[in-house]
Amino acid sequence: MPFIDEAMLDDQERLAACDSRRTLRALATAGAQVREALTLSDEAGVERLARLERPRSVLVASLGGSAVVADVLDMLAEPGSPVPVSVRRNVPLPGWVGPLDLVVAVSLSGRARGPLAVAAEAARRGASIMTVGASDSPLAAVCARARGIHVDVGRDRISSRTALWSLLAPVLVGANELGLVAVSADALLATATRLDEQAESCRPTSEAFVNPAKILALQLADTVPAVLGDGPLAGVAATRAASMLARTARIPATHGELPDAASQVVATFDGPFTAGGGQGVTGHASRSFGGDIFADPFLDGPAQPRLGLLMLRDVIRATPTTPEEADLDALAQAVLHTAEEAGVRVATVSAEPGHPLTRLAGLIAQTDFVATYLAIGLGIDPAVSRHITALRDHTAG
């Protein structure tokens, strides 16, 4: 069963030694990324989108660490966008994409094959193009040839996972110019402030007993986690959290969104990772959940990990404003109650009030820090994976 070294989370020298590429520092720049992205978007002339004829549809291409960019735009646009927003990770493009449509391609390096191929094919068909990525890159070159709008991501971005806001903010600026979302400059600046607040509360020098990200990392350390969002906004955050747990902390995590995912998550409460599932409460399973305090892991074998539920919640209202909100809140409470009865380790992160993007930013920022502290506490460098390196070597060329 994984063991997290709690003392390491408060040892600044050991933190720095394990975090070779300063992932914690990069995450702490999220607010600054938003502010810089506003400047870079202005310099790139994103406001020109407002002078163009409204596109028939918008298609967004992003994958890997930047995949959440498309998810966020889709979530924010869905309630009121006058045109459909769709997501495409790679070619082929849908047959309907043409001169009446806008294609947005996002890649930190500007070299990711999926977004690059999507942008090139969209340009060939005469679609309008907007790209976000490195300024000196094939993606920027494709955009220039198509006379599109390219926004640079700035300097010193070590990975798409830690440069999310450099990638996302320009896309939202463009979507706001087109009237697809209501994300003004003021909303983006408020989001930057929320990200700064999370960076302050989750900073490495904040001790484990008061640091919310370190507390959650300790709670999740010996679990097989399921991340559940209590609606569309928290569902996007749950997708991001599961990705960060897998890619950064190397812990496989399932994820879902209420109401649809309630049954599949609750079904796991009867499985082998809870006190009442699998082998019941006797033998090996009981040792996993405190059933036998005298169990010897050397003689009896190691205890198995426990099921964990990380519930991400949007703003909790004392009185829900619609019947749908009331039903969703009741379902979330029922899932939490059922989990506790089943012996699942439960942790909850709730968004603070604000613009939808600001609320989402708070959830994403905190869980990003959780995954990074979890990796470091387990003795894993959050930015370096030898198996990812080997995979790239096998697929190169």
Coordinates of all heavy atoms in Angstrom, one line a residue, residues 316-371:
I316 N -22.3 25.8 -2.8 CA -23.4 25.2 -2.1 C -24.3 26.3 -1.6 O -24.0 27.2 -0.9 CB -22.9 24.4 -0.8 CG1 -22.0 23.3 -1.3 CG2 -24.1 23.8 -0.1 CD1 -21.3 22.5 -0.1
R317 N -25.5 26.2 -2.1 CA -26.5 27.3 -1.8 C -27.4 26.7 -0.7 O -27.9 25.6 -0.7 CB -27.4 27.6 -3.0 CG -26.6 28.2 -4.2 CD -27.5 28.5 -5.3 NE -26.8 29.1 -6.4 CZ -26.2 28.4 -7.4 NH1 -26.2 27.1 -7.3 NH2 -25.5 29.0 -8.3
A318 N -27.7 27.6 0.3 CA -28.6 27.2 1.4 C -30.0 26.8 0.9 O -30.6 25.8 1.3 CB -28.7 28.3 2.4
T319 N -30.5 27.6 -0.1 CA -31.7 27.3 -0.8 C -31.5 27.2 -2.3 O -31.3 28.2 -2.9 CB -32.8 28.3 -0.5 OG1 -32.9 28.5 0.9 CG2 -34.1 28.0 -1.1
P320 N -31.5 26.0 -2.9 CA -31.3 25.8 -4.3 C -32.3 26.7 -5.1 O -33.5 26.8 -4.7 CB -31.5 24.3 -4.6 CG -31.2 23.7 -3.2 CD -31.6 24.7 -2.2
T321 N -31.9 27.3 -6.2 CA -32.8 28.2 -6.9 C -33.7 27.5 -7.9 O -34.7 28.1 -8.4 CB -31.9 29.2 -7.7 OG1 -31.0 28.5 -8.5 CG2 -31.1 30.0 -6.7
T322 N -33.4 26.2 -8.2 CA -34.3 25.5 -9.2 C -34.5 24.1 -8.7 O -33.7 23.6 -7.9 CB -33.6 25.4 -10.6 OG1 -32.4 24.6 -10.5 CG2 -33.3 26.8 -11.1
P323 N -35.5 23.4 -9.1 CA -35.7 22.0 -8.7 C -34.6 21.1 -9.1 O -34.2 20.2 -8.4 CB -37.0 21.6 -9.5 CG -37.7 22.9 -9.7 CD -36.7 23.9 -9.9
E324 N -34.0 21.4 -10.3 CA -32.8 20.6 -10.8 C -31.6 20.8 -9.8 O -31.0 19.7 -9.5 CB -32.4 21.1 -12.2 CG -33.4 20.8 -13.3 CD -34.6 21.7 -13.3 OE1 -34.5 22.8 -12.6 OE2 -35.6 21.3 -13.9
E325 N -31.4 22.0 -9.3 CA -30.3 22.2 -8.4 C -30.6 21.4 -7.0 O -29.7 20.9 -6.4 CB -30.1 23.7 -8.1 CG -29.4 24.4 -9.3 CD -29.2 25.9 -8.9 OE1 -29.7 26.3 -7.9 OE2 -28.6 26.6 -9.8
A326 N -31.8 21.5 -6.6 CA -32.2 20.8 -5.4 C -32.0 19.3 -5.5 O -31.5 18.6 -4.6 CB -33.7 21.1 -5.0
D327 N -32.4 18.7 -6.7 CA -32.2 17.3 -6.9 C -30.7 16.9 -6.9 O -30.3 15.9 -6.4 CB -32.9 16.9 -8.3 CG -34.4 16.9 -8.2 OD1 -34.9 17.0 -7.1 OD2 -35.0 16.9 -9.3
L328 N -29.9 17.8 -7.6 CA -28.5 17.5 -7.7 C -27.8 17.6 -6.3 O -27.0 16.7 -6.0 CB -27.8 18.5 -8.6 CG -26.5 18.2 -9.2 CD1 -26.6 16.9 -10.0 CD2 -26.0 19.3 -10.1
D329 N -28.2 18.5 -5.5 CA -27.7 18.6 -4.1 C -28.1 17.4 -3.3 O -27.2 16.9 -2.6 CB -28.2 19.9 -3.5 CG -27.6 20.1 -2.1 OD1 -26.4 20.3 -2.0 OD2 -28.4 20.0 -1.1
A330 N -29.3 17.0 -3.4 CA -29.8 15.8 -2.7 C -29.0 14.6 -3.1 O -28.7 13.7 -2.3 CB -31.3 15.6 -2.9
L331 N -28.8 14.4 -4.4 CA -28.0 13.3 -4.9 C -26.6 13.3 -4.4 O -26.1 12.2 -4.0 CB -28.0 13.3 -6.4 CG -27.3 12.1 -7.1 CD1 -27.9 10.8 -6.7 CD2 -27.4 12.3 -8.7
A332 N -26.0 14.4 -4.4 CA -24.6 14.5 -3.9 C -24.5 14.2 -2.4 O -23.6 13.4 -2.0 CB -24.0 16.0 -4.1
Q333 N -25.5 14.6 -1.6 CA -25.5 14.3 -0.2 C -25.7 12.8 0.0 O -25.1 12.2 0.9 CB -26.6 15.1 0.5 CG -26.4 16.6 0.5 CD -25.3 17.0 1.4 OE1 -24.7 16.2 2.1 NE2 -24.9 18.3 1.3
A334 N -26.6 12.2 -0.9 CA -26.8 10.8 -0.7 C -25.6 10.0 -1.1 O -25.3 9.0 -0.4 CB -28.0 10.4 -1.7
V335 N -24.9 10.4 -2.1 CA -23.6 9.7 -2.5 C -22.6 9.8 -1.3 O -22.0 8.8 -1.0 CB -23.0 10.3 -3.8 CG1 -21.6 9.7 -4.0 CG2 -23.9 9.9 -4.9
L336 N -22.5 10.9 -0.7 CA -21.5 11.1 0.4 C -21.9 10.3 1.6 O -21.1 9.6 2.2 CB -21.4 12.6 0.8 CG -20.8 13.5 -0.2 CD1 -21.0 15.0 0.2 CD2 -19.3 13.2 -0.3
H337 N -23.2 10.2 1.9 CA -23.7 9.4 3.0 C -23.5 8.0 2.8 O -23.0 7.2 3.7 CB -25.2 9.7 3.2 CG -25.8 9.0 4.4 ND1 -25.4 9.3 5.7 CD2 -26.7 8.0 4.4 CE1 -26.1 8.5 6.5 NE2 -26.9 7.7 5.8
T338 N -23.8 7.5 1.5 CA -23.6 6.1 1.2 C -22.1 5.7 1.3 O -21.7 4.6 1.7 CB -24.1 5.8 -0.2 OG1 -25.5 6.2 -0.3 CG2 -24.1 4.3 -0.5
A339 N -21.2 6.6 0.8 CA -19.8 6.3 0.9 C -19.3 6.2 2.3 O -18.5 5.3 2.6 CB -19.1 7.5 0.2
E340 N -19.7 7.1 3.2 CA -19.3 7.0 4.6 C -19.8 5.7 5.2 O -19.1 5.0 6.0 CB -19.8 8.2 5.3 CG -19.1 9.5 4.9 CD -19.7 10.7 5.4 OE1 -20.8 10.6 6.0 OE2 -19.2 11.8 5.3
E341 N -21.0 5.3 4.9 CA -21.6 4.1 5.5 C -20.8 2.8 5.0 O -20.7 1.8 5.7 CB -23.0 3.9 5.1 CG -24.0 4.8 5.8 CD -25.4 4.5 5.5 OE1 -25.7 4.0 4.4 OE2 -26.3 4.7 6.4
A342 N -20.3 2.9 3.7 CA -19.5 1.8 3.2 C -18.1 1.7 3.6 O -17.4 0.8 3.2 CB -19.6 1.9 1.6
G343 N -17.6 2.7 4.3 CA -16.2 2.7 4.8 C -15.3 3.4 3.8 O -14.1 3.1 3.8
V344 N -15.8 4.1 2.8 CA -15.0 4.8 1.9 C -14.4 6.0 2.5 O -15.1 6.7 3.3 CB -15.8 5.2 0.6 CG1 -15.0 6.0 -0.4 CG2 -16.4 4.0 -0.1
R345 N -13.1 6.3 2.2 CA -12.5 7.5 2.7 C -13.0 8.7 1.9 O -12.7 8.7 0.7 CB -11.0 7.4 2.7 CG -10.3 8.7 3.3 CD -8.8 8.5 3.4 NE -8.5 7.4 4.4 CZ -7.3 6.9 4.6 NH1 -6.3 7.3 3.9 NH2 -7.2 6.0 5.5
V346 N -13.7 9.7 2.5 CA -14.3 10.7 1.8 C -13.6 12.1 2.0 O -13.2 12.4 3.2 CB -15.8 10.9 2.2 CG1 -16.4 12.1 1.5 CG2 -16.5 9.6 1.9
A347 N -13.3 12.8 1.0 CA -12.8 14.2 1.0 C -13.6 15.0 0.1 O -14.0 14.6 -0.9 CB -11.3 14.2 0.6
T348 N -13.8 16.3 0.5 CA -14.7 17.2 -0.2 C -13.9 18.5 -0.4 O -13.3 19.0 0.5 CB -16.0 17.5 0.5 OG1 -16.7 16.2 0.7 CG2 -16.9 18.4 -0.4
V349 N -14.0 19.0 -1.7 CA -13.5 20.4 -2.0 C -14.6 21.2 -2.5 O -15.3 20.7 -3.5 CB -12.3 20.3 -3.0 CG1 -11.8 21.7 -3.3 CG2 -11.2 19.5 -2.5
S350 N -14.9 22.3 -1.9 CA -16.0 23.1 -2.4 C -15.5 24.4 -3.0 O -14.6 25.1 -2.5 CB -17.0 23.5 -1.2 OG -17.5 22.3 -0.7
A351 N -16.2 24.8 -4.1 CA -15.8 26.1 -4.7 C -16.3 27.3 -3.9 O -17.3 27.2 -3.2 CB -16.4 26.2 -6.1
E352 N -15.5 28.4 -4.0 CA -15.9 29.6 -3.4 C -16.8 30.4 -4.4 O -16.7 30.2 -5.6 CB -14.7 30.4 -3.0 CG -13.8 29.8 -1.9 CD -14.5 29.7 -0.6 OE1 -15.3 30.6 -0.3 OE2 -14.3 28.7 0.2
P353 N -17.7 31.3 -3.9 CA -18.5 32.1 -4.8 C -17.7 32.9 -5.8 O -16.6 33.3 -5.6 CB -19.3 33.0 -3.9 CG -19.3 32.3 -2.5 CD -17.9 31.6 -2.5
G354 N -18.4 33.2 -6.9 CA -17.7 34.0 -8.0 C -18.2 33.6 -9.3 O -19.2 32.8 -9.5
H355 N -17.7 34.2 -10.4 CA -17.9 33.9 -11.7 C -17.7 32.4 -12.0 O -16.8 31.8 -11.3 CB -17.0 34.7 -12.6 CG -17.3 34.6 -14.1 ND1 -16.8 33.5 -14.8 CD2 -18.0 35.4 -15.0 CE1 -17.2 33.7 -16.1 NE2 -17.9 34.8 -16.2
P356 N -18.4 31.7 -12.8 CA -18.2 30.3 -13.1 C -16.7 30.0 -13.3 O -16.2 29.0 -12.8 CB -19.1 30.0 -14.3 CG -20.2 31.0 -14.2 CD -19.6 32.2 -13.6
L357 N -16.0 30.8 -14.1 CA -14.6 30.5 -14.4 C -13.8 30.6 -13.1 O -12.9 29.8 -12.9 CB -14.1 31.4 -15.5 CG -12.6 31.3 -15.8 CD1 -12.4 29.9 -16.5 CD2 -12.1 32.4 -16.7
T358 N -14.1 31.6 -12.3 CA -13.4 31.8 -11.0 C -13.6 30.6 -10.1 O -12.7 30.2 -9.4 CB -13.8 33.1 -10.4 OG1 -13.7 34.2 -11.3 CG2 -13.0 33.4 -9.2
R359 N -14.9 30.2 -10.0 CA -15.2 29.0 -9.2 C -14.4 27.8 -9.6 O -13.8 27.0 -8.9 CB -16.7 28.7 -9.1 CG -17.5 29.9 -8.7 CD -18.9 29.5 -8.2 NE -19.6 28.7 -9.2 CZ -20.5 29.1 -10.1 NH1 -20.6 30.5 -10.3 NH2 -21.2 28.3 -10.8
L360 N -14.4 27.6 -11.0 CA -13.7 26.4 -11.5 C -12.2 26.5 -11.3 O -11.6 25.5 -10.9 CB -14.0 26.4 -13.0 CG -13.2 25.3 -13.8 CD1 -13.7 23.9 -13.4 CD2 -13.4 25.5 -15.3
A361 N -11.7 27.7 -11.4 CA -10.2 27.9 -11.2 C -9.8 27.5 -9.8 O -8.7 26.9 -9.6 CB -9.8 29.4 -11.4
G362 N -10.6 27.9 -8.8 CA -10.3 27.5 -7.4 C -10.2 26.0 -7.2 O -9.3 25.4 -6.6
L363 N -11.2 25.2 -7.8 CA -11.2 23.8 -7.7 C -10.0 23.2 -8.4 O -9.3 22.3 -7.9 CB -12.5 23.2 -8.3 CG -13.8 23.5 -7.6 CD1 -15.0 23.0 -8.4 CD2 -13.8 22.9 -6.2
I364 N -9.7 23.7 -9.6 CA -8.6 23.1 -10.4 C -7.3 23.4 -9.7 O -6.4 22.5 -9.6 CB -8.6 23.7 -11.8 CG1 -9.7 23.1 -12.6 CG2 -7.2 23.5 -12.5 CD1 -9.8 23.7 -14.0
A365 N -7.1 24.6 -9.2 CA -5.8 25.0 -8.6 C -5.5 24.1 -7.4 O -4.4 23.6 -7.2 CB -5.8 26.5 -8.2
Q366 N -6.5 23.9 -6.5 CA -6.3 23.2 -5.3 C -6.0 21.7 -5.6 O -5.0 21.1 -5.1 CB -7.5 23.2 -4.4 CG -7.2 22.6 -3.0 CD -8.3 22.9 -2.0 OE1 -8.9 24.0 -2.0 NE2 -8.5 22.0 -1.0
T367 N -6.7 21.1 -6.5 CA -6.4 19.7 -6.9 C -5.1 19.5 -7.6 O -4.5 18.5 -7.6 CB -7.6 19.1 -7.6 OG1 -8.0 19.9 -8.7 CG2 -8.8 18.9 -6.7
D368 N -4.7 20.5 -8.4 CA -3.4 20.5 -9.0 C -2.3 20.4 -8.0 O -1.3 19.6 -8.1 CB -3.2 21.7 -9.9 CG -3.9 21.7 -11.2 OD1 -4.5 20.6 -11.5 OD2 -3.8 22.7 -12.0
F369 N -2.4 21.2 -6.9 CA -1.4 21.1 -5.8 C -1.5 19.8 -5.1 O -0.5 19.3 -4.7 CB -1.7 22.3 -4.9 CG -1.0 23.6 -5.3 CD1 -1.8 24.7 -5.8 CD2 0.4 23.8 -5.2 CE1 -1.2 25.9 -6.2 CE2 1.0 25.0 -5.6 CZ 0.2 26.0 -6.1
V370 N -2.7 19.3 -4.9 CA -2.9 18.0 -4.2 C -2.1 16.9 -4.9 O -1.3 16.2 -4.3 CB -4.4 17.6 -4.1 CG1 -4.5 16.2 -3.7 CG2 -5.1 18.5 -3.2
A371 N -2.3 16.8 -6.3 CA -1.6 15.8 -7.0 C -0.1 15.9 -6.9 O 0.7 15.0 -6.9 CB -2.1 15.9 -8.5

